Amino acid sequence: MDKDTTYFFVGIKGSGMSALALILHDRGLNVMGSDIDKYTFTQRGLEKAGIEIFPFNPDNIKPGMTVIAGNAFPDSQPEIKKAIDEKIPMQRYHEFLGDLISGSTSIGVAGAHGKTSTTGLLSHVLKGIAPTDYLIGDGTGKGTPDARFFVYEADEYRRHFLKTYPDYAIMTNIDFDHPDYYTGIEDVSDAFQTYANQVKKAIFAWGDDENLRKLTAKAPIYYYGTNDNDDIQAINIKRTTSGSQFEVLYKGTNLGEFKIPLYGEHNILNSLAVIAVSYFEEMDLDEIRNQLLTFKGVKRRFSQIKINDMTIIDDYAHHPSEIKATLDAARQEYPNKEIIVVFQPHTFSRTIAYLDDFAKTLVNADKVYITKIYGSPREKSGKISSQDLVDKIKKDGGLIEREDMSPLLDYHDAVVIFMGAGDIQSYEHAYQDLLTHLSKKIN
């Protein structure tokens, strides 16, 4: 990479884009970018690094730059169009990432669900033992001099991960998501099969996923899970209100006991995948154990705060499988508390595709409130509304508006989980403001 070049990111606040910008900045390169004025949770890291963010404007693009274009923007976007018209070097995000991972032992984490949490955990473990570059889908990125490893979140949307050829791959699951692009589960499986063919050393895949079990590849595939037919198996599992512990077998050999300060079965599975990669790279098992114990999670994945007597959890879950995992984790940590969910359906196409599954999963909470559907700029509003989901759930709660979060004030010494991938945090902040204001009035 050229230290005399300015790398300009169009859409720099995107979760992957911001992480990539931070990696280049850490490598001593000149980085800046453009985006909307609205504040996003990825913005803080860029600001702390001193990376300039400009409003979208074609005048931002100048000769001598290399433009990295976010995948959310078409070639007709004014800045991208100017780069193309004036033959200023430009690559799409996923293309640039494919070039960037060469030179280190690369590990791509793919899956319809769980890839951000697993990427975060793997990054935490490896960087505590050896120099590691990492790119996490929560907007976190880090570049390290002479990195041994490059850990990255491999995004299957529009088959973007097919521009990368990693040494290792973790595959958490194959599920039908992104109904605006994929035609069905067979189409998604085809994308993962192609990705599997591009892995060089080994693949670690969740053994309970029937579609992952169908994969073939030149690299060996090792399955992890809790069953006897898994190559990497968790046994003697104990889940408590302080976390989880388990022993690990690798092809019958006991690697000993591991503990994690995390909740939910999915985090045990994520840990198995991380242990497997680390073990294959001949990391000391005690060092792996120590690093697992100090992991504090990633942004917008079961993030918690407490106000008055209420526990508030912020989670990115927007697919039925993710909702199930989040509720499982909440029940483990808070077995004696009432669990209230405020869920924001994400996109009309996903809400239509998963209406019944959302209802079957959300009914496991004690109370369920549904916000307006968060529509994607890529789609028009469909023939569905949040009321359709409320009618399916048939649970105490109902519709809730950001302008009136007062129904949540009826609960005390309980857990409220705000779930969604849109602007659900604005509802959460409105509720927090209500609680804080109420506390001041009482005091």
Side-chain angles (χ1 to χ4, degrees), residues 183-205:
T183 58
I185 189 65
E186 295 82 7
D187 196 18
V188 181
S189 296
D190 177 73
F192 275 82
Q193 178 59 70
T194 304
Y195 185 61
N197 291 335
Q198 298 177 182
V199 178
K200 299 171 185 175
K201 290 185 178 180
I203 297 167
F204 303 96

Side-chain angles (χ1 to χ4, degrees), residues 160-172:
H160 288 150
F161 61 172
L162 300 187
K163 289 294 183 180
T164 62
Y165 292 74
D167 293 295
Y168 296 99
I170 292 172
M171 297 187 182
T172 60

Side-chain angles (χ1 to χ4, degrees), residues 10-12 17 34-35 56 69-77 80 92:
V10 178
I12 195 168
M17 290 281 279
S34 59
D35 217 309
F56 290 125
N71 292 327
F73 304 95
D75 286 352
S76 58
Q77 195 270 356
I80 297 173
R92 286 288 176 178

Side-chain angles (χ1 to χ4, degrees), residues 69-139:
N71 292 327
F73 304 95
D75 286 352
S76 58
Q77 195 270 356
E79 289 169 322
I80 297 173
K81 184 176 185 303
K82 183 176 180 181
I84 293 171
D85 291 346
E86 298 191 7
K87 294 182 170 52
I88 292 170
M90 187 196 78
Q91 279 186 291
R92 286 288 176 178
Y93 161 81
H94 57 296
E95 296 169 339
F96 191 89
L97 178 61
D99 293 338
L100 190 66
I101 66 172
S102 61
S104 304
T105 298
S106 54
I107 307 108
V109 182
H113 326 295
K115 54 183 175 287
T116 296
S117 298
T118 307
T119 307
L121 181 59
L122 179 61
S123 302
H124 175 81
V125 169
L126 292 183
K127 74 181 176 66
I129 303 174
T132 301
D133 289 343
Y134 54 88
L135 185 154
I136 308 172
D138 66 351

Side-chain angles (χ1 to χ4, degrees), residues 272-415:
L272 280 177
V274 169
I275 292 165
V277 172
S278 306
Y279 181 72
F280 269 62
E281 277 296 301
E282 300 181 346
M283 299 291 185
D284 183 271
L285 287 173
D286 286 335
E287 289 189 321
I288 299 169
R289 289 187 183 91
N290 290 336
Q291 293 304 317
L292 286 171
L293 281 172
T294 59
F295 183 62
K296 292 181 171 57
V298 296
K299 298 173 190 171
R300 296 229 54 222
R301 276 24 175 223
F302 214 70
S303 303
Q304 301 187 38
I305 64 168
K306 294 185 186 297
I307 299 179
N308 302 339
D309 63 347
M310 299 297 294
T311 298
I312 302 171
I313 298 176
D314 176 39
D315 199 276
Y316 190 70
H318 58 287
H319 183 281
S321 298
E322 297 166 347
I323 295 168
K324 180 181 178 182
T326 299
L327 288 174
D328 176 50
R331 292 292 185 194
Q332 178 182 345
E333 186 171 5
Y334 301 105
N336 300 316
K337 288 184 181 284
E338 190 173 28
I339 306 293
I340 300 104
V341 166
V342 180
F343 176 63
Q344 182 182 58
H346 188 256
T347 74
F348 294 98
S349 57
R350 184 180 279 112
T351 306
I352 292 169
Y354 293 117
L355 186 65
D356 290 339
D357 292 328
F358 280 139
K360 289 175 184 175
T361 308
L362 287 166
V363 77
N364 293 314
D366 296 309
K367 303 287 192 303
V368 181
Y369 292 88
I370 306 296
T371 76
K372 291 178 181 176
I373 296 172
Y374 185 86
S376 165
R378 294 187 291 263
E379 63 177 1
K380 297 178 181 178
S381 60
K383 295 179 180 179
I384 194 167
S385 70
S386 297
Q387 186 63 52
D388 295 316
L389 182 53
V390 169
D391 293 342
K392 281 273 185 183
I393 297 171
K394 297 178 182 176
K395 194 87 174 180
D396 287 348
L399 293 176
I400 195 164
E401 298 282 345
R402 180 171 39 224
E403 293 74 23
D404 182 14
M405 301 298 289
S406 61
L408 299 183
L409 296 178
D410 292 339
Y411 305 104
H412 300 283
D413 193 25
V415 178

Side-chain angles (χ1 to χ4, degrees), residues 43-255:
Q43 190 169 331
R44 183 61 181 147
L46 297 169
E47 291 173 342
K48 287 176 69 175
I51 295 173
E52 288 188 280
I53 305 172
F54 301 95
F56 290 125
N57 190 324
D59 292 340
N60 292 329
I61 308 302
K62 298 176 175 62
M65 287 181 169
T66 291
V67 174
I68 302 172
N71 292 327
F73 304 95
D75 286 352
S76 58
Q77 195 270 356
E79 289 169 322
I80 297 173
K81 184 176 185 303
K82 183 176 180 181
I84 293 171
D85 291 346
E86 298 191 7
K87 294 182 170 52
I88 292 170
M90 187 196 78
Q91 279 186 291
R92 286 288 176 178
Y93 161 81
H94 57 296
E95 296 169 339
F96 191 89
L97 178 61
D99 293 338
L100 190 66
I101 66 172
S102 61
S104 304
T105 298
S106 54
I107 307 108
V109 182
H113 326 295
K115 54 183 175 287
T116 296
S117 298
T118 307
T119 307
L121 181 59
L122 179 61
S123 302
H124 175 81
V125 169
L126 292 183
K127 74 181 176 66
I129 303 174
T132 301
D133 289 343
Y134 54 88
L135 185 154
I136 308 172
D138 66 351
T140 305
K142 181 69 178 175
T144 306
D146 303 316
R148 174 179 168 183
F149 298 107
F150 195 116
V151 178
Y152 70 99
E153 187 167 327
D155 185 7
E156 79 279 7
Y157 184 59
R158 294 187 177 273
R159 289 176 163 80
H160 288 150
F161 61 172
L162 300 187
K163 289 294 183 180
T164 62
Y165 292 74
D167 293 295
Y168 296 99
I170 292 172
M171 297 187 182
T172 60
N173 45 61
I174 296 176
D175 205 343
F176 176 45
D177 200 2
H178 308 296
D180 60 322
Y181 173 74
Y182 286 108
T183 58
I185 189 65
E186 295 82 7
D187 196 18
V188 181
S189 296
D190 177 73
F192 275 82
Q193 178 59 70
T194 304
Y195 185 61
N197 291 335
Q198 298 177 182
V199 178
K200 299 171 185 175
K201 290 185 178 180
I203 297 167
F204 303 96
W206 179 37
D208 277 10
D209 191 300
E210 61 180 19
N211 293 300
L212 287 174
R213 284 281 182 182
K214 295 175 184 176
L215 292 179
T216 60
K218 295 177 182 177
I221 302 175
Y222 300 92
Y223 291 96
Y224 62 86
T226 58
N227 299 313
D228 291 341
N229 64 338
D230 291 316
D231 302 293
I232 303 105
Q233 182 188 7
I235 62 170
N236 298 329
I237 297 170
K238 298 174 184 176
R239 294 173 54 186
T240 70
T241 56
S242 60
S244 306
Q245 63 187 65
F246 49 91
E247 294 175 50
V248 177
L249 299 181
Y250 170 60
K251 290 188 177 293
T253 300
N254 195 315
L255 303 184

